[in-house]
Amino acid sequence: MPASSTAPPSPAAPSPTLHPGGAAAPTVLVVDDERNIRRTLALVLQGEGYRVAEAPSAEAALELLAHGDSPVDLALVDLLLPGMNGLDLLQRVRQDDATRELPVIVISGHATVNDAVKAIKLGASDFFEKPLNRERVLVGVKNALQNSRLAREVEDLKAQVQSRYEMIGQSPAMQRLFKEIDRVAPTKASVLITGESGTGKELISRAIHRLSPRARGPFVRVNCAAIPRELIESELFGHERGAFTGASGPKRGFFEQAHGGTLFLDEIGDMDLAAQAKVLRALQSGEICRVGSEHSRHVDVRVLAATNKDLSREVAALRFREDLFFRLAVFPIKSPALRDRMEDLRALADAFMAAFCNENGLKQKTIDPVVYAALERRSWPGNVRELKNVIERAAILSGDVVTIADLPEDPHENPFEDDAQGSAGEGSIAPPPPGAAEPPAGAARHEPERPRLTLREFRDRAERRYIVEVLASLDWNISRAAVVLGVERTNLHKKIRAYGIKRGEAP
């Protein structure tokens, strides 16, 4: 309907109506050139506790959405407006990043079916016809707001899940890895990810999926080592009812579940040879056959595989099919070990600490710089996964600041009991006693009289001497000495006992 004046009036400010209890209610923007319609809708909505903002034109609505004092949670838009019509307004709303997700309900008294279809295609949440029914309006508004809230919650959950799979690192090794992922992700190529356990091979596969054209499709992870040999075919390709004892109904396998997305075959090196042959056939033909079925099914799946084994050696030992190896390793990626990217340890430790505190409702904790230095001296055969476990345990044991005392003992250090036995046990050569006379000059030095030290014996002597020097320089303060030596206090006590060090002993 035509507007009452040539220039659109300024948009009305939102009404301060609140929900019972004082919580701010959702704001509904009513866009209609008829003042009576706006007033009627405002009364109905305010009666249910909503805040209401009004605009007599699309242009006024855009101004309010861009510069209004209160954010708008939903818009009721008349289709026939002076100047820009309701469909044009809806299109502008969907094109603006700030309002892209705003739920919009279109209303009209002169619309055709085609108008309603266009509105829904442009993203309208609902379509009301005039004269408006009070209950229909309230139900539609409630449903649109609820769906919008659920959509935001889903996106928030996705973001939280995604943060768990974020790859962290600025080291040269990680920068090379990121470049490789960027290159291969947009392609259809199969990828074989190798590396030690705990280096983040699954994170690499998820990053490839997320950056690929299949990102909106499913990501299905399969642990090949965890599936019994007799069930691997059924799990991968599915089965029909009655295919075997216990098959009470049809079941989709992992290949079908990953249709249109990515299938990640973790620990592929542990897959049975018979299953390998069927996986190869599926990769080559793009078709699978359920157990107990005679009909093949087409699947559109990109396969990523990972293993901590040397597959070339497995091929040579006839434990892995050579043709499958070449089919998977179109683009090989090596996941770097933590020892090859120690520059990233501090950032990783901080990220693990923050994530653990968030997930468990704990106050955020900081890490003493001395702890970083101690962590960097460890060998980390368990790689990033081991670091994550150590940080989480320290978070549980510590106060506001994680200290050396909160770190668990390094299980990969040589057991001191073994060291003591190795220094004086069977098969070792005891060092000459203190004060033993040296053989006269020119005397023949026979091997039994002056035995050579093993590497362990030499290391033990050097380590013992250095511990005594540090303790003596710190007036035998065990805690301070442990910090200087970069070991846990309990470990230092064990070494003192193992080496038989006595308090006051001179270096």
Side-chain angles (χ1 to χ4, degrees):
M1 299 182 65
S4 58
S5 62
T6 55
S10 301
S15 169
T17 306
L18 299 177
H19 275 307
T27 298
V28 179
L29 171 60
V30 179
V31 187
D32 198 302
D33 59 321
E34 292 188 65
R35 184 179 179 184
N36 289 337
I37 295 292
R38 297 199 307 272
R39 180 176 298 176
T40 299
L41 285 172
L43 291 174
V44 169
L45 294 169
Q46 289 173 354
E48 293 299 314
Y50 296 106
R51 302 175 62 162
V52 178
E54 300 177 23
S57 67
E59 291 81 2
L62 290 173
E63 177 68 19
L64 191 146
L65 288 172
H67 305 293
D69 296 332
S70 177
V72 173
D73 299 291
L74 180 143
L76 286 168
V77 178
D78 187 22
L79 193 62
L80 298 178
L81 294 169
M84 183 188 302
N85 64 33
L87 290 180
D88 292 335
L89 173 59
L90 176 58
Q91 192 167 13
R92 287 280 296 275
V93 167
R94 290 290 173 260
Q95 291 172 347
D96 190 334
D97 290 339
T99 58
R100 188 186 305 276
E101 304 302 326
L102 177 70
V104 176
I105 296 176
V106 174
I107 57 179
S108 179
H110 308 283
T112 64
V113 174
N114 287 337
D115 291 330
V117 172
K118 287 180 182 178
I120 298 301
K121 284 185 176 180
L122 287 173
S125 302
D126 208 338
F127 191 95
F128 297 160
E129 287 187 281
K130 295 179 180 179
L132 299 174
N133 177 277
R134 180 181 182 279
E135 295 303 320
R136 174 81 173 90
V137 169
L138 291 178
V139 170
V141 168
K142 179 181 178 181
N143 290 341
L145 288 171
Q146 185 176 26
N147 290 338
S148 176
R149 177 179 58 80
L150 291 174
R152 288 195 302 270
E153 290 179 358
V154 168
E155 290 302 317
D156 290 343
L157 288 173
K158 284 183 178 179
Q160 292 177 23
V161 171
Q162 191 60 53
S163 67
R164 297 181 61 186
Y165 299 109
E166 180 183 2
M167 300 180 68
I168 299 171
Q170 296 296 325
S171 62
M174 290 302 292
Q175 293 304 309
R176 287 193 297 271
L177 176 61
F178 293 150
K179 289 180 181 178
E180 291 177 341
I181 292 174
D182 288 339
R183 288 171 181 168
V184 75
T187 72
K188 298 180 180 179
S190 299
V191 180
L192 179 62
I193 307 166
T194 59
E196 300 175 11
S197 294
T199 55
K201 295 187 287 294
E202 182 179 347
L203 295 185
I204 295 174
S205 68
R206 288 183 179 274
I208 293 173
H209 171 72
R210 186 173 64 252
L211 297 175
S212 75
R214 298 171 176 265
R216 293 186 176 273
F219 178 89
V220 179
R221 176 185 178 273
V222 182
N223 187 341
C224 300
I227 303 176
R229 178 180 303 180
E230 60 273 13
L231 295 179
I232 185 69
E233 184 178 355
S234 171
E235 293 295 316
L236 288 175
F237 307 112
H239 61 254
E240 297 291 352
R241 179 179 180 182
F244 50 83
T245 302
S248 57
K251 176 185 176 182
R252 294 193 309 153
F254 291 125
F255 269 87
E256 286 187 72
Q257 294 176 33
H259 181 71
T262 302
L263 179 64
F264 175 49
L265 298 176
D266 198 8
E267 303 298 345
I268 187 73
D270 294 306
M271 182 179 286
D272 178 67
L273 281 169
Q276 291 178 28
K278 294 178 179 178
V279 168
L280 176 64
R281 186 161 55 248
L283 294 179
Q284 291 174 334
S285 65
E287 295 183 344
I288 56 100
C289 187
R290 290 182 179 179
V291 177
S293 174
E294 297 179 354
H295 304 289
S296 61
R297 299 167 182 264
H298 173 74
V299 289
D300 176 21
V301 173
R302 182 184 190 180
V303 171
L304 310 177
T307 181
N308 58 7
K309 294 184 176 181
D310 185 341
L311 285 192
S312 59
R313 290 187 179 182
E314 295 296 301
V315 169
L318 303 180
R319 291 189 293 266
F320 199 86
R321 293 182 62 101
E322 185 178 37
D323 45 5
L324 179 58
F325 171 67
F326 288 122
R327 184 67 179 79
L328 292 172
V330 174
F331 193 94
I333 289 181
K334 178 67 178 293
S335 181
L338 181 55
R339 62 179 173 276
D340 297 327
R341 46 176 298 215
M342 291 301 289
E343 306 98 311
D344 300 325
L345 185 142
R346 298 191 180 202
L348 288 166
D350 289 342
F352 292 147
M353 179 63 71
F356 183 81
C357 291
N358 286 335
E359 292 172 3
N360 293 275
L362 301 176
K363 179 182 177 182
Q364 286 297 327
K365 304 185 178 188
T366 57
I367 300 177
D368 191 310
V370 176
V371 173
Y372 294 126
L375 294 175
E376 288 170 350
R377 283 190 289 269
R378 294 195 178 195
S379 57
W380 300 112
N383 293 292
V384 178
R385 183 186 297 125
E386 182 184 359
L387 173 63
K388 182 174 184 288
N389 293 341
V390 167
I391 293 299
E392 290 183 351
R393 179 175 174 183
I396 296 172
L397 297 174
S398 68
D400 292 340
V401 179
V402 177
T403 66
I404 284 286
D406 301 316
L407 290 181
E409 294 183 8
D410 187 353
H412 311 298
E413 281 193 348
N414 292 322
F416 304 119
E417 292 77 6
D418 292 346
D419 286 356
Q421 294 173 3
S423 297
E426 183 180 355
S428 65
I429 302 174
E438 291 287 331
R445 296 177 180 269
H446 301 290
E447 194 69 21
E449 295 177 3
R450 188 177 178 85
R452 296 176 180 174
L453 296 177
T454 65
L455 285 175
R456 170 174 285 185
E457 290 165 347
F458 181 81
R459 184 208 64 196
D460 289 348
R461 286 189 176 190
E463 187 173 65
R464 184 185 192 281
R465 183 164 51 250
Y466 183 58
I467 290 175
V468 172
E469 289 178 359
V470 172
L471 285 169
S473 69
L474 297 173
D475 196 23
W476 292 81
N477 186 311
I478 301 296
S479 297
R480 293 174 61 194
V483 172
V484 172
L485 294 169
V487 298
E488 288 79 12
R489 191 169 180 273
T490 54
N491 280 356
L492 181 55
H493 276 295
K494 289 183 178 181
K495 286 183 178 290
I496 291 172
R497 289 196 300 270
Y499 291 137
I501 299 172
K502 304 298 182 183
R503 183 177 181 86
E505 182 178 334

